[in-house]
């Protein structure tokens, strides 16, 4: 019935190649015919128990709904098999049935992803910037979707794109990837790989681990919801899943909590602790956690490992026994940076209301995380500073989340200068007394404000280089 309605509706408009039509319309109609004639369907829906030829002939002769138009209306019930061999392909939003000659099969997609992760591309950010990487990765995802490829390679491609988007601060693209990954990870756990892992775990009496990275992205969902002020049942479900994961990997032995090793236990625990610090406006705790995340990101090898998800394997046995790189929490740092300025402003407001008459700026430089940004400029307790934060880092609260001790900022240090400049931009009243810069709490309590973002743009992307834009505009 629905097909008959579509047939009558399509028959009113023709195919665009009627007599008197423009050359552009005629050319578009020919291109459409060529594209649809290339479609070869293979049913992927369990509810379809008939061959495509039966469907294509169901409209009957004289229905006004020929095979090509039926293909376009019903293509989403079938799987497209691509034949394109190009490694580079730009992303274009589909407005009609895809042409198999422009869709890349899985072997070509694997080669394309390897190319994007190679040093030739990933190691040359000037030539291959984020806009290029994002465009290529979106094209890979599109080819996966139209061919309904949702196995291990799809997980790998989506994870890589999510990490690249996260590292470049593109939360919108990251959210698209992590939303699909949630379903892909569940399918992997319930699929053949999950059944194999369960059989192996039953024999070895070990924990069932199908994809370690699922816990990593669980941590990202916790933090993403926190920094985007998510509410509602969906985010509550994410928090419940994270809490269940923590409880599952904690055991009580003789009254003492023993944390069972898991590749991403610290990552999830760190995300939950950061969410709690953000909700309670605990800036000191926030920057202790942020310092731990930054500590695992300071090496260039860690940055590459975050993009690649894991290191290269030598043998299958080593891969089975190896903990994947990424078991720290350095991926969390990108999401925490979204709220770092807000946490500093909250702390400045609280300091203005709590400290009267004044508070040393070097003390605020420590509690607001500036001493973490300038390593080597701080002091230890008794060296002329105001002392540390009373901890030596590590798992200070027994929840498994890594933390660092906030170093004290020395008088006249770069951390103190950076903090003073930040406070000045936000309207704080600073005074110098006995050679030390201090913030006047009473005056600053009513003068602090959030300055206008000078880097904001009305539209487009502020990371787009103006020279690149002009070159493309002139070239076009």
């Amino acid at each position: 019935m629905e097909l008959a309605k579509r047939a009558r509706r399509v028959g009113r408009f023709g195919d665009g190649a009627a007599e008197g039509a423009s050359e552009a319309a005629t050319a578009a109609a020919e291109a459409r015919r060529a594209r649809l004639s290339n479609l070869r369907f293979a049913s992927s829906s369990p509810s379809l128990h008939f061959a495509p030829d039966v469907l294509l002939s169901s409209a009957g002769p004289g229905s006004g709904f020929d095979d090509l138009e039926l293909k376009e209306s019903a293509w989403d019930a079938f799987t497209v098999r691509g034949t394109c061999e190009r490694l580079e392909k730009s992303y274009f939003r589909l407005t009609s049935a895809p042409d198999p000659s422009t869709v890349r099969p899985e072997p070509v997609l694997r080669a394309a992803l390897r190319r994007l992760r190679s040093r030739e591309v990933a190691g040359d950010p000037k030539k291959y910037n984020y806009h290029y990487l994002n465009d290529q990765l979106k094209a890979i995802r599109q080819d996966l979707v139209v061919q309904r490829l949702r196995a291990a390679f799809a997980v790998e491609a989506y994870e890589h794109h999510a990490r690249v988007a996260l590292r470049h601060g593109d939360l919108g693209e990251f959210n698209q990837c992590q939303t699909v990954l949630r379903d892909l990870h569940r399918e992997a756990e319930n699929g053949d790989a999950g059944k194999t892992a369960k059989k192996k775990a039953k024999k070895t009496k070990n924990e069932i681990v199908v994809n370690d990275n699922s816990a990593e992205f669980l941590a990202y969902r916790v933090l993403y919801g926190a920094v985007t002020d998510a509410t509602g049942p969906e985010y509550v479900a994410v928090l419940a899943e994270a809490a269940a994961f923590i409880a599952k990997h904690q055991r009580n032995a003789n009254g003492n909590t023993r944390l069972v090793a898991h590749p991403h236990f610290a990552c999830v625990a760190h995300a939950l602790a950061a969410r709690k610090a953000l909700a309670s406006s605990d800036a000191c705790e926030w920057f202790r956690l942020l310092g731990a995340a930054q500590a695992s990101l300071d090496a260039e090898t860690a940055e590459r490992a975050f993009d690649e998800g894991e290191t290269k394997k030598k043998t299958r046995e080593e891969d089975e026994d190896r903990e994947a790189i990424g078991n720290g929490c350095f991926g969390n740092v990108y999401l925490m940076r979204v709220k770092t300025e807000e946490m500093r402003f909250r702390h400045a407001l609280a300091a203005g209301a709590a400290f009267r008459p004044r508070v040393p700026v070097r003390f605020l430089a420590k509690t607001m995380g500036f001493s973490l940004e300038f390593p080597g400029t701080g002091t230890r307790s008794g060296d002329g500073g105001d002392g540390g934060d009373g901890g030596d880092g590590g798992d200070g609260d027994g929840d498994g989340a890594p933390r660092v001790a906030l170093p004290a900022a020395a008088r006249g240090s770069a951390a103190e200068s950076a903090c003073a400049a930040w406070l000045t931009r936000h309207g704080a009243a600073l005074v110098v007394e006995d050679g030390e810069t201090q913030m006047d709490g009473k005056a600053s309590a009513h003068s602090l404000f959030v300055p206008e973002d000078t880097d904001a743009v009305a539209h487009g992307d502020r990371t787009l280089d103006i020279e690149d834009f002009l070159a493309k505009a002139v070239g076009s």
Side-chain angles (χ1 to χ4, degrees), residues 54-130:
V54 176
L55 176 64
L56 294 178
S57 61
S58 61
S63 63
F65 200 66
D66 59 27
D67 290 356
L68 296 183
E69 284 151 351
L70 186 57
K71 281 183 177 182
E72 188 165 36
S73 64
W75 75 272
D76 56 347
F78 301 90
T79 298
V80 176
R81 300 302 182 193
T83 59
C84 180
E85 298 292 332
R86 294 168 50 195
L87 293 184
E88 278 190 299
K89 175 187 170 184
S90 293
Y91 169 78
F92 293 101
R93 185 181 299 275
L94 289 177
T95 58
S96 60
D99 185 349
S101 64
T102 64
V103 178
R104 295 167 292 182
E106 183 174 343
V108 179
L109 292 176
R110 288 182 178 274
L113 184 60
R114 283 197 301 269
R115 173 183 172 275
L116 294 178
R117 297 170 69 168
S118 66
R119 291 190 177 184
E120 176 187 357
V121 176
D124 191 356
K126 291 185 178 179
K127 183 178 180 181
Y128 303 102
N129 57 20
Y130 172 65

Side-chain angles (χ1 to χ4, degrees), residues 150-151 182-194:
R150 299 178 66 86
R182 178 178 54 188
D183 295 331
L184 291 177
H185 287 149
R186 290 174 180 172
E187 290 175 11
E189 184 176 354
N190 298 326
D192 294 338

Side-chain angles (χ1 to χ4, degrees), residues 31 41 73 107 149 153 214 217 220 233 261 263 295 316 330 333-334 359 405 407 445 451 457 465:
F41 292 124
S73 64
L149 299 176
F153 173 68
S214 62
F217 282 88
Y220 298 156
R316 185 178 298 274
F330 48 80
V333 70
Y334 300 110
V359 57
V457 293
D465 187 82

Side-chain angles (χ1 to χ4, degrees), residues 128-412:
Y128 303 102
N129 57 20
Y130 172 65
H131 299 283
Y132 173 82
L133 295 176
N134 186 50
D135 177 69
Q136 296 296 310
L137 289 169
K138 288 184 71 173
I140 290 177
R141 284 168 45 197
Q142 185 182 63
D143 289 347
L144 290 171
V145 170
V146 299
Q147 297 179 97
R148 289 186 172 84
L149 299 176
R150 299 178 66 86
F153 173 68
V155 176
E156 180 184 356
Y158 273 89
E159 286 180 351
H160 178 67
H161 194 182
R163 293 188 183 101
V164 171
L166 192 59
R167 181 162 64 90
H168 290 87
D170 190 348
L171 294 188
E173 206 65 49
F174 165 77
N175 186 43
Q176 291 183 26
C177 294
Q178 65 97 9
T179 300
V180 177
L181 278 171
R182 178 178 54 188
D183 295 331
L184 291 177
H185 287 149
R186 290 174 180 172
E187 290 175 11
E189 184 176 354
N190 298 326
D192 294 338
K195 294 178 182 178
T196 303
K198 290 176 182 178
K199 291 181 180 178
K200 183 178 179 180
K202 188 175 181 180
K203 293 180 179 179
T204 60
K205 296 182 180 181
N206 291 328
E207 182 191 358
I208 301 172
V209 177
V210 179
N211 190 323
D212 288 341
N213 295 336
S214 62
E216 174 193 355
F217 282 88
L218 172 61
Y220 298 156
R221 287 199 297 275
V222 171
L223 265 181
Y224 177 82
V227 301
T228 56
D229 302 320
T231 56
E234 290 188 4
Y235 186 55
V236 172
V238 171
L239 295 179
E241 184 180 355
F245 175 85
I246 294 297
K248 181 179 180 180
H249 295 92
Q250 279 182 325
R251 300 291 185 270
N252 191 284
N254 299 325
N256 297 320
T257 301
R258 177 173 61 88
L259 302 183
V260 180
H262 185 277
H264 295 292
F265 179 89
C267 187
V268 178
H270 183 273
L272 289 172
R275 188 207 67 84
K276 181 180 178 181
L278 180 63
S280 59
S281 298
D282 189 345
C284 293
E285 172 73 350
W286 177 266
F287 287 107
R288 289 177 64 202
L289 293 165
L290 181 61
Q294 288 177 334
S296 59
L297 192 62
D298 55 1
E300 184 181 357
T301 54
E303 186 97 9
R304 287 201 303 269
F306 177 75
D307 279 343
E308 296 179 0
E310 57 184 9
T311 56
K312 294 181 179 179
K313 285 81 72 174
K314 293 183 179 179
T315 64
R316 185 178 298 274
E317 290 75 20
E318 289 177 355
D319 178 48
E320 292 177 349
D321 297 333
R322 177 188 55 81
E323 282 191 359
I325 287 186
N327 57 354
C329 53
F330 48 80
N332 293 353
V333 70
Y334 300 110
L335 288 165
M336 294 185 71
R337 286 173 181 171
V338 175
K339 286 290 187 179
T340 293
E341 285 295 298
E342 180 180 331
M343 289 296 288
R344 282 175 174 164
F345 186 74
R346 291 188 198 179
H347 189 67
L349 287 175
F355 292 101
R356 302 292 173 86
R358 301 180 183 91
V359 57
V361 171
R362 59 188 174 90
F363 172 77
L364 295 178
K366 180 190 75 171
T367 57
M368 295 170 68
F370 286 99
S371 58
L372 293 172
E373 298 179 0
F374 298 91
T377 64
T379 64
R380 297 182 179 179
S381 180
D383 293 338
D386 58 286
D389 62 359
D392 57 354
D395 178 19
D397 292 346
D399 57 3
R403 295 171 175 84
V404 298
L406 297 178
R411 183 179 298 182

